[in-house]
PDB file of all heavy atoms in Angstrom:
ATOM      1  N   GLY A   6       3.582   5.590  -2.971  1.00 90.00           N
ATOM      2  CA  GLY A   6       4.885   6.156  -3.349  1.00 90.00           C
ATOM      3  C   GLY A   6       4.984   6.301  -4.862  1.00 90.00           C
ATOM      4  O   GLY A   6       5.389   7.350  -5.386  1.00 90.00           O
ATOM      5  N   PHE A  58      -2.652   6.440 -17.289  1.00 89.00           N
ATOM      6  CA  PHE A  58      -3.603   6.576 -18.393  1.00 89.00           C
ATOM      7  C   PHE A  58      -4.515   7.786 -18.154  1.00 89.00           C
ATOM      8  O   PHE A  58      -4.706   8.649 -19.018  1.00 89.00           O
ATOM      9  CB  PHE A  58      -4.406   5.266 -18.467  1.00 89.00           C
ATOM     10  CG  PHE A  58      -5.547   5.272 -19.442  1.00 89.00           C
ATOM     11  CD1 PHE A  58      -5.334   4.965 -20.784  1.00 89.00           C
ATOM     12  CD2 PHE A  58      -6.847   5.580 -19.027  1.00 89.00           C
ATOM     13  CE1 PHE A  58      -6.391   4.951 -21.678  1.00 89.00           C
ATOM     14  CE2 PHE A  58      -7.897   5.577 -19.922  1.00 89.00           C
ATOM     15  CZ  PHE A  58      -7.670   5.249 -21.253  1.00 89.00           C
ATOM     16  N   ALA A  75     -10.403  15.152 -28.282  1.00 81.00           N
ATOM     17  CA  ALA A  75     -10.863  15.833 -29.485  1.00 81.00           C
ATOM     18  C   ALA A  75     -10.386  15.109 -30.741  1.00 81.00           C
ATOM     19  O   ALA A  75     -11.170  14.788 -31.624  1.00 81.00           O
ATOM     20  CB  ALA A  75     -10.354  17.275 -29.483  1.00 81.00           C
ATOM     21  N   LEU A  84      -4.476   4.421 -26.246  1.00 87.00           N
ATOM     22  CA  LEU A  84      -4.667   2.969 -26.132  1.00 87.00           C
ATOM     23  C   LEU A  84      -3.332   2.233 -26.312  1.00 87.00           C
ATOM     24  O   LEU A  84      -3.056   1.238 -25.634  1.00 87.00           O
ATOM     25  CB  LEU A  84      -5.688   2.480 -27.153  1.00 87.00           C
ATOM     26  CG  LEU A  84      -7.120   2.898 -26.796  1.00 87.00           C
ATOM     27  CD1 LEU A  84      -8.111   2.430 -27.863  1.00 87.00           C
ATOM     28  CD2 LEU A  84      -7.528   2.329 -25.421  1.00 87.00           C
ATOM     29  N   SER A  90       1.885  -0.561 -21.537  1.00 87.00           N
ATOM     30  CA  SER A  90       2.088  -0.622 -20.083  1.00 87.00           C
ATOM     31  C   SER A  90       1.646  -1.970 -19.533  1.00 87.00           C
ATOM     32  O   SER A  90       2.358  -2.589 -18.727  1.00 87.00           O
ATOM     33  CB  SER A  90       1.270   0.447 -19.359  1.00 87.00           C
ATOM     34  OG  SER A  90       1.436   1.658 -19.957  1.00 87.00           O
ATOM     35  N   GLN A 108      15.434 -19.011  -7.861  1.00 87.00           N
ATOM     36  CA  GLN A 108      16.074 -18.772  -6.562  1.00 87.00           C
ATOM     37  C   GLN A 108      15.580 -19.797  -5.526  1.00 87.00           C
ATOM     38  O   GLN A 108      16.378 -20.349  -4.762  1.00 87.00           O
ATOM     39  CB  GLN A 108      15.700 -17.370  -6.093  1.00 87.00           C
ATOM     40  CG  GLN A 108      16.871 -16.674  -5.443  1.00 87.00           C
ATOM     41  CD  GLN A 108      16.551 -15.213  -5.233  1.00 87.00           C
ATOM     42  OE1 GLN A 108      15.389 -14.830  -5.073  1.00 87.00           O
ATOM     43  NE2 GLN A 108      17.572 -14.392  -5.228  1.00 87.00           N
ATOM     44  N   THR A 144      12.422 -26.166   6.632  1.00 79.00           N
ATOM     45  CA  THR A 144      12.008 -25.840   5.269  1.00 79.00           C
ATOM     46  C   THR A 144      10.490 -25.798   5.113  1.00 79.00           C
ATOM     47  O   THR A 144       9.974 -25.005   4.355  1.00 79.00           O
ATOM     48  CB  THR A 144      12.583 -26.840   4.256  1.00 79.00           C
ATOM     49  OG1 THR A 144      12.291 -28.143   4.756  1.00 79.00           O
ATOM     50  CG2 THR A 144      14.057 -26.699   4.077  1.00 79.00           C
ATOM     51  N   ARG A 151       8.575 -35.691  13.056  1.00 93.00           N
ATOM     52  CA  ARG A 151       9.078 -36.871  13.757  1.00 93.00           C
ATOM     53  C   ARG A 151       9.163 -38.053  12.795  1.00 93.00           C
ATOM     54  O   ARG A 151       8.338 -38.184  11.889  1.00 93.00           O
ATOM     55  CB  ARG A 151       8.141 -37.253  14.904  1.00 93.00           C
ATOM     56  CG  ARG A 151       7.919 -36.104  15.853  1.00 93.00           C
ATOM     57  CD  ARG A 151       7.232 -36.534  17.104  1.00 93.00           C
ATOM     58  NE  ARG A 151       5.800 -36.657  16.952  1.00 93.00           N
ATOM     59  CZ  ARG A 151       4.960 -36.621  17.973  1.00 93.00           C
ATOM     60  NH1 ARG A 151       5.426 -36.486  19.201  1.00 93.00           N
ATOM     61  NH2 ARG A 151       3.668 -36.743  17.781  1.00 93.00           N
ATOM     62  N   GLU A 157      11.998 -54.109  15.236  1.00 81.00           N
ATOM     63  CA  GLU A 157      12.166 -55.458  14.693  1.00 81.00           C
ATOM     64  C   GLU A 157      11.816 -56.458  15.795  1.00 81.00           C
ATOM     65  O   GLU A 157      11.851 -56.113  16.985  1.00 81.00           O
ATOM     66  CB  GLU A 157      13.630 -55.680  14.279  1.00 81.00           C
ATOM     67  CG  GLU A 157      14.110 -54.690  13.259  1.00 81.00           C
ATOM     68  CD  GLU A 157      14.055 -55.236  11.858  1.00 81.00           C
ATOM     69  OE1 GLU A 157      13.248 -56.165  11.613  1.00 81.00           O
ATOM     70  OE2 GLU A 157      14.791 -54.729  11.007  1.00 81.00           O
ATOM     71  N   THR A 178       0.261 -39.050  21.191  1.00 90.00           N
ATOM     72  CA  THR A 178      -1.087 -39.364  21.666  1.00 90.00           C
ATOM     73  C   THR A 178      -1.519 -40.702  21.058  1.00 90.00           C
ATOM     74  O   THR A 178      -0.983 -41.113  20.020  1.00 90.00           O
ATOM     75  CB  THR A 178      -2.081 -38.282  21.216  1.00 90.00           C
ATOM     76  OG1 THR A 178      -2.042 -38.235  19.786  1.00 90.00           O
ATOM     77  CG2 THR A 178      -1.738 -36.926  21.781  1.00 90.00           C
ATOM     78  N   GLU A 180      -4.019 -41.268  19.380  1.00 91.00           N
ATOM     79  CA  GLU A 180      -4.529 -41.013  18.025  1.00 91.00           C
ATOM     80  C   GLU A 180      -3.384 -41.066  16.999  1.00 91.00           C
ATOM     81  O   GLU A 180      -3.507 -41.677  15.939  1.00 91.00           O
ATOM     82  CB  GLU A 180      -5.187 -39.634  18.014  1.00 91.00           C
ATOM     83  CG  GLU A 180      -5.911 -39.340  16.723  1.00 91.00           C
ATOM     84  CD  GLU A 180      -6.169 -37.848  16.562  1.00 91.00           C
ATOM     85  OE1 GLU A 180      -6.062 -37.113  17.561  1.00 91.00           O
ATOM     86  OE2 GLU A 180      -6.461 -37.434  15.435  1.00 91.00           O
ATOM     87  N   GLN A 184      -2.670 -43.666  13.956  1.00 92.00           N
ATOM     88  CA  GLN A 184      -2.435 -43.230  12.568  1.00 92.00           C
ATOM     89  C   GLN A 184      -1.162 -43.857  12.008  1.00 92.00           C
ATOM     90  O   GLN A 184      -1.117 -44.265  10.855  1.00 92.00           O
ATOM     91  CB  GLN A 184      -2.346 -41.713  12.501  1.00 92.00           C
ATOM     92  CG  GLN A 184      -3.715 -41.066  12.601  1.00 92.00           C
ATOM     93  CD  GLN A 184      -3.659 -39.573  12.348  1.00 92.00           C
ATOM     94  OE1 GLN A 184      -2.611 -38.969  12.460  1.00 92.00           O
ATOM     95  NE2 GLN A 184      -4.794 -38.993  12.021  1.00 92.00           N
ATOM     96  N   LEU A 213      -0.616 -33.974  -3.139  1.00 77.00           N
ATOM     97  CA  LEU A 213      -0.974 -33.381  -1.842  1.00 77.00           C
ATOM     98  C   LEU A 213      -1.794 -32.116  -2.003  1.00 77.00           C
ATOM     99  O   LEU A 213      -2.897 -32.006  -1.475  1.00 77.00           O
ATOM    100  CB  LEU A 213       0.304 -33.010  -1.097  1.00 77.00           C
ATOM    101  CG  LEU A 213       0.844 -34.043  -0.132  1.00 77.00           C
ATOM    102  CD1 LEU A 213       1.950 -33.436   0.669  1.00 77.00           C
ATOM    103  CD2 LEU A 213      -0.271 -34.525   0.757  1.00 77.00           C
ATOM    104  N   ALA A 264      14.578 -39.526   4.727  1.00 86.00           N
ATOM    105  CA  ALA A 264      14.154 -40.095   6.009  1.00 86.00           C
ATOM    106  C   ALA A 264      14.068 -41.619   5.889  1.00 86.00           C
ATOM    107  O   ALA A 264      14.474 -42.345   6.804  1.00 86.00           O
ATOM    108  CB  ALA A 264      12.805 -39.519   6.425  1.00 86.00           C
ATOM    109  N   ARG A 272      17.808 -49.336  11.011  1.00 87.00           N
ATOM    110  CA  ARG A 272      17.384 -50.717  11.213  1.00 87.00           C
ATOM    111  C   ARG A 272      18.521 -51.690  10.889  1.00 87.00           C
ATOM    112  O   ARG A 272      18.727 -52.669  11.591  1.00 87.00           O
ATOM    113  CB  ARG A 272      16.171 -51.026  10.330  1.00 87.00           C
ATOM    114  CG  ARG A 272      14.877 -50.556  10.992  1.00 87.00           C
ATOM    115  CD  ARG A 272      13.776 -50.432  10.007  1.00 87.00           C
ATOM    116  NE  ARG A 272      13.383 -51.707   9.425  1.00 87.00           N
ATOM    117  CZ  ARG A 272      12.301 -52.388   9.779  1.00 87.00           C
ATOM    118  NH1 ARG A 272      11.529 -51.937  10.733  1.00 87.00           N
ATOM    119  NH2 ARG A 272      11.984 -53.516   9.195  1.00 87.00           N
ATOM    120  N   LYS A 290      29.379 -68.418  25.535  1.00 77.00           N
ATOM    121  CA  LYS A 290      28.725 -69.656  25.967  1.00 77.00           C
ATOM    122  C   LYS A 290      29.628 -70.845  25.648  1.00 77.00           C
ATOM    123  O   LYS A 290      29.835 -71.730  26.480  1.00 77.00           O
ATOM    124  CB  LYS A 290      27.388 -69.784  25.227  1.00 77.00           C
ATOM    125  CG  LYS A 290      26.432 -70.741  25.879  1.00 77.00           C
ATOM    126  CD  LYS A 290      25.116 -70.718  25.153  1.00 77.00           C
ATOM    127  CE  LYS A 290      25.276 -71.317  23.779  1.00 77.00           C
ATOM    128  NZ  LYS A 290      24.175 -71.079  22.889  1.00 77.00           N
ATOM    129  N   GLY A 339      29.677 -84.913  25.288  1.00 85.00           N
ATOM    130  CA  GLY A 339      28.700 -84.474  24.271  1.00 85.00           C
ATOM    131  C   GLY A 339      28.597 -82.969  24.243  1.00 85.00           C
ATOM    132  O   GLY A 339      28.646 -82.336  23.175  1.00 85.00           O
ATOM    133  N   ALA A 382      21.973-104.694   6.242  1.00 91.00           N
ATOM    134  CA  ALA A 382      22.728-103.704   5.463  1.00 91.00           C
ATOM    135  C   ALA A 382      22.523-103.970   3.982  1.00 91.00           C
ATOM    136  O   ALA A 382      22.659-105.095   3.516  1.00 91.00           O
ATOM    137  CB  ALA A 382      24.197-103.789   5.825  1.00 91.00           C
ATOM    138  N   ALA A 425      23.097 -97.866   1.509  1.00 94.00           N
ATOM    139  CA  ALA A 425      23.979 -96.823   0.947  1.00 94.00           C
ATOM    140  C   ALA A 425      23.794 -96.798  -0.559  1.00 94.00           C
ATOM    141  O   ALA A 425      23.840 -97.845  -1.207  1.00 94.00           O
ATOM    142  CB  ALA A 425      25.430 -97.124   1.292  1.00 94.00           C
ATOM    143  N   ARG A 427      24.304 -94.073  -4.325  1.00 91.00           N
ATOM    144  CA  ARG A 427      24.847 -92.829  -4.869  1.00 91.00           C
ATOM    145  C   ARG A 427      23.686 -92.082  -5.509  1.00 91.00           C
ATOM    146  O   ARG A 427      22.926 -92.648  -6.286  1.00 91.00           O
ATOM    147  CB  ARG A 427      25.904 -93.197  -5.919  1.00 91.00           C
ATOM    148  CG  ARG A 427      26.332 -92.075  -6.836  1.00 91.00           C
ATOM    149  CD  ARG A 427      27.480 -91.318  -6.231  1.00 91.00           C
ATOM    150  NE  ARG A 427      27.770 -90.115  -7.001  1.00 91.00           N
ATOM    151  CZ  ARG A 427      28.837 -89.966  -7.758  1.00 91.00           C
ATOM    152  NH1 ARG A 427      29.732 -90.923  -7.860  1.00 91.00           N
ATOM    153  NH2 ARG A 427      29.032 -88.838  -8.408  1.00 91.00           N
ATOM    154  N   ALA A 448      10.073 -82.561  13.783  1.00 90.00           N
ATOM    155  CA  ALA A 448      11.070 -83.158  12.890  1.00 90.00           C
ATOM    156  C   ALA A 448      12.368 -82.354  12.841  1.00 90.00           C
ATOM    157  O   ALA A 448      13.442 -82.918  12.723  1.00 90.00           O
ATOM    158  CB  ALA A 448      10.495 -83.320  11.503  1.00 90.00           C
ATOM    159  N   TYR A 456      17.390 -81.146  23.105  1.00 81.00           N
ATOM    160  CA  TYR A 456      15.940 -81.190  22.885  1.00 81.00           C
ATOM    161  C   TYR A 456      15.459 -82.630  22.953  1.00 81.00           C
ATOM    162  O   TYR A 456      15.985 -83.516  22.282  1.00 81.00           O
ATOM    163  CB  TYR A 456      15.573 -80.608  21.520  1.00 81.00           C
ATOM    164  CG  TYR A 456      14.075 -80.651  21.287  1.00 81.00           C
ATOM    165  CD1 TYR A 456      13.241 -79.752  21.936  1.00 81.00           C
ATOM    166  CD2 TYR A 456      13.497 -81.628  20.483  1.00 81.00           C
ATOM    167  CE1 TYR A 456      11.868 -79.806  21.772  1.00 81.00           C
ATOM    168  CE2 TYR A 456      12.128 -81.683  20.312  1.00 81.00           C
ATOM    169  CZ  TYR A 456      11.319 -80.779  20.960  1.00 81.00           C
ATOM    170  OH  TYR A 456       9.960 -80.838  20.805  1.00 81.00           O
ATOM    171  N   ARG A 491       8.978 -92.689   7.416  1.00 96.00           N
ATOM    172  CA  ARG A 491       9.138 -93.831   6.503  1.00 96.00           C
ATOM    173  C   ARG A 491       7.765 -94.303   6.038  1.00 96.00           C
ATOM    174  O   ARG A 491       6.829 -94.343   6.843  1.00 96.00           O
ATOM    175  CB  ARG A 491       9.831 -94.957   7.265  1.00 96.00           C
ATOM    176  CG  ARG A 491      10.243 -96.099   6.384  1.00 96.00           C
ATOM    177  CD  ARG A 491      10.916 -97.170   7.183  1.00 96.00           C
ATOM    178  NE  ARG A 491      11.392 -98.231   6.316  1.00 96.00           N
ATOM    179  CZ  ARG A 491      11.866 -99.371   6.748  1.00 96.00           C
ATOM    180  NH1 ARG A 491      11.948 -99.601   8.050  1.00 96.00           N
ATOM    181  NH2 ARG A 491      12.275-100.293   5.907  1.00 96.00           N
ATOM    182  N   LEU A 507      34.882 -92.286  -9.451  1.00 76.00           N
ATOM    183  CA  LEU A 507      36.076 -93.128  -9.561  1.00 76.00           C
ATOM    184  C   LEU A 507      37.001 -92.626 -10.655  1.00 76.00           C
ATOM    185  O   LEU A 507      38.208 -92.607 -10.493  1.00 76.00           O
ATOM    186  CB  LEU A 507      35.664 -94.563  -9.856  1.00 76.00           C
ATOM    187  CG  LEU A 507      35.387 -95.392  -8.594  1.00 76.00           C
ATOM    188  CD1 LEU A 507      35.025 -96.806  -8.969  1.00 76.00           C
ATOM    189  CD2 LEU A 507      36.601 -95.373  -7.674  1.00 76.00           C
ATOM    190  N   SER A 520      55.618 -79.486 -10.191  1.00 41.00           N
ATOM    191  CA  SER A 520      56.221 -78.812  -9.022  1.00 41.00           C
ATOM    192  C   SER A 520      57.005 -77.609  -9.450  1.00 41.00           C
ATOM    193  O   SER A 520      57.274 -77.416 -10.613  1.00 41.00           O
ATOM    194  CB  SER A 520      57.123 -79.781  -8.255  1.00 41.00           C
ATOM    195  OG  SER A 520      58.139 -80.238  -9.105  1.00 41.00           O
TER     196      SER A 520
END
Side-chain angles (χ1 to χ4, degrees):
F58 173 85
L84 288 178
S90 312
Q108 220 169 28
T144 50
R151 305 191 279 201
E157 302 262 24
T178 59
E180 188 198 344
Q184 284 188 340
L213 266 189
R272 277 161 65 103
K290 199 175 68 193
R427 165 89 189 251
Y456 180 75
R491 189 180 184 189
L507 272 182
S520 60

